[in-house]
Amino acid sequence: MSAIDLIVLGMLKQEPLSAYDMQKQVEYRNVSRWVKISTPSIYKKVIQLEEKGLVESHTKKEGKMPEKTIYSITAKGAQEFERLMLAIAEEPIHIFLDFNAVIVNLQSLPEEQQRLCLEKIRKNVMDMKGELEENIRQKEHVPTIPAAGMAVLRQQYMLIQAVEAWLESL
């Protein structure tokens, strides 16, 4: 089981949702910035979790809207959620920054190309920093935003500040 399992089970622990609604929450919460998760992975994941008996589904139709499948966590799923919480919390922390693959290979490029790569990384870091600042500004005074969600946003902001300072040292 993985972090995606934990994200999906955690959302369903809060309330029954369709895969579409889960995907919208992932987008709204910017979950894909800190966990590798995609729209297709959510749809596949709920099917896998249902096959394992961790979630169950029922079809719902509202008015003239098309039918949609709503998923809810089972008792077995709630136990698995708690097990995953403890298991993942116990694991060593890994921070994967894909651009480090560029950094370790910079010396293989001519100096001008090295500078270009670093500038592109720096631009992406600054773009992300701006997005995080805007996201924090929009959400920090909204009472319905969970404290844990704001904590993750602030964590991401602190990490991007550290990456920005590190880039300046290169």
Side-chain angles (χ1 to χ4, degrees):
M1 292 263 175
S2 67
I4 297 172
D5 298 327
L6 187 56
I7 296 292
V8 170
L9 289 172
M11 285 191 283
L12 294 177
K13 189 135 171 61
Q14 298 296 314
E15 64 182 316
L17 295 166
S18 69
Y20 175 80
D21 291 333
M22 284 183 256
Q23 180 255 326
K24 285 296 173 198
Q25 282 192 19
V26 164
E27 285 176 13
Y28 176 72
R29 296 176 181 174
N30 292 312
V31 173
S32 60
R33 292 245 185 215
W34 40 274
V35 175
K36 289 198 180 205
I37 189 169
S38 65
T39 301
S41 67
I42 293 170
Y43 286 89
K44 287 194 311 194
K45 187 51 65 180
V46 290
I47 291 167
Q48 290 171 351
L49 294 173
E50 186 172 30
E51 288 170 355
K52 294 177 181 176
L54 303 176
V55 303
E56 57 192 11
S57 66
H58 71 275
T59 304
K60 181 178 178 182
K61 181 157 177 59
E62 292 178 356
K64 295 184 180 185
M65 299 296 290
E67 287 184 346
K68 66 179 178 178
T69 303
I70 304 296
Y71 296 91
S72 55
I73 195 167
T74 63
K76 183 179 174 185
Q79 289 175 338
E80 181 62 11
F81 171 79
E82 290 178 19
R83 188 196 69 73
L84 274 174
M85 287 288 287
L86 293 171
I88 291 174
E90 188 176 74
E91 291 177 4
I93 303 296
H94 301 284
I95 299 174
F96 297 108
L97 303 172
D98 291 340
F99 66 82
N100 278 336
V102 173
I103 300 300
V104 300
N105 288 298
L106 275 176
Q107 75 283 354
S108 298
L109 289 175
E111 194 171 312
E112 185 57 36
Q113 293 290 21
Q114 290 178 24
R115 275 197 287 285
L116 181 61
C117 284
L118 288 173
E119 282 307 312
K120 287 178 182 255
I121 291 170
R122 187 174 284 111
K123 180 196 178 308
N124 286 327
V125 166
M126 297 311 293
D127 288 351
M128 185 175 186
K129 182 180 179 187
E131 289 172 20
L132 286 166
E133 287 170 342
E134 180 62 24
N135 205 350
I136 290 169
R137 238 189 326 278
Q138 288 177 354
K139 295 177 181 170
E140 66 186 338
H141 299 295
V142 178
T144 56
I145 303 293
M150 286 306 300
V152 170
L153 266 177
R154 288 189 180 100
Q155 173 208 65
Q156 293 296 296
Y157 186 70
M158 291 171 69
L159 286 170
I160 206 69
Q161 285 179 309
V163 170
E164 177 187 19
W166 170 77
L167 278 170
E168 293 304 319
S169 74
L170 294 179

